């Protein structure tokens, strides 16, 4: 049977975006799982003098044994058109008033554009269920970080040795490095 879950993030580290309310459920389930919609500041143009635009994102995890139904409610205003990208996924949305419905059959990164507005789209990260790392990174050193605020000095103290992977558990982390980064954490 399909398995479905999500990893809510702490409001202490990343703002909520209320443009959309998003729900998912395994095919045929009666109960919808509500997903928090978070805000990401993104520059939509190559000109870095342009201010970042607030966009929304949600994520969920599934084994995709069956399709996952997605319901998106636009919290203000009506909807006249929707594009779900990438086009290669072949997702055809259905619009009913201010609500969008479609199915996701596999993991992937999805962009939902309402009324041609590419500056305030919704990103959906449909992830496979996480699997244990045992043996996945043979011969490598793996450093685990729990969600939360981490100072750059923590990373510098590790000295960034070659072949070290940093695993970010689900949640929000505030630093980046140039070696291998894996996991479900969000760098913000």
């Amino acid at each position: 049977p399909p398995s479905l879950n999500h990893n809510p993030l702490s409001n202490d580290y990343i703002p909520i975006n209320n443009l959309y309310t998003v729900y998912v459920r395994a095919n045929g389930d009666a109960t919808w799982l509500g997903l928090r919609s978070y805000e990401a500041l993104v520059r939509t143009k190559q000109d870095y003098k342009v201010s970042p635009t607030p966009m929304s994102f949600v994520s969920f995890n599934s084994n995709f044994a069956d399709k996952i139904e997605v319901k998106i409610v636009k919290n203000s205003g009506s909807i006249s058109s929707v594009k779900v990208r990438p086009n290669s996924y072949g997702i055809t949305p259905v619009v009913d008033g201010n609500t969008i419905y479609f199915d996701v059959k596999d993991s992937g990164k999805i962009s939902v554009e309402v009324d041609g507005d590419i500056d305030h789209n919704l990103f959906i990260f449909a992830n496979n269920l996480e699997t244990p790392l045992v043996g996945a990174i043979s011969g490598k050193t793996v450093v685990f970080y729990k969600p939360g605020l981490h100072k750059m000095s923590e990373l510098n103290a590790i000295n960034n040795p070659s072949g070290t992977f940093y695993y970010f558990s689900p949640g929000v982390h505030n630093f980046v490095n140039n070696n291998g980064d894996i996991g479900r954490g969000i760098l913000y």
Side-chain angles (χ1 to χ4, degrees), residues 57-78:
F57 72 92
V58 299
S59 67
F60 67 90
N61 312 306
S62 177
N63 63 0
F64 296 96
D66 200 348
K67 66 184 177 182
I68 301 299
E69 300 174 33
V70 178
K71 176 170 90 171
I72 302 166
V73 178
K74 183 177 179 190
N75 292 323
S76 65
S78 60

Side-chain angles (χ1 to χ4, degrees), residues 19-20 53 55 81 112-122:
L19 188 57
Y20 301 102
T53 303
M55 297 183 180
S81 68
V112 180
E113 301 166 5
V114 176
D115 297 328
D117 185 358
I118 63 168
D119 291 330
H120 299 95
N121 56 324
L122 169 68

Side-chain angles (χ1 to χ4, degrees), residues 117-131:
D117 185 358
I118 63 168
D119 291 330
H120 299 95
N121 56 324
L122 169 68
F123 293 107
I124 299 174
F125 300 105
N127 302 307
N128 287 310
L129 290 175
E130 198 163 26
T131 57

Side-chain angles (χ1 to χ4, degrees), residues 27-47:
N27 184 35
D29 279 1
T31 305
W32 290 95
L33 174 64
L35 304 177
R36 266 193 205 145
S37 181
Y38 299 98
E39 184 170 287
L41 297 177
V42 179
R43 294 189 200 281
T44 57
K45 298 179 176 51
Q46 293 297 324
D47 182 0

Side-chain angles (χ1 to χ4, degrees), residues 131-137 142 144 167 182:
T131 57
L133 287 174
V134 178
I137 307 174
V142 180
F144 291 86
Y167 177 83
I182 56 176

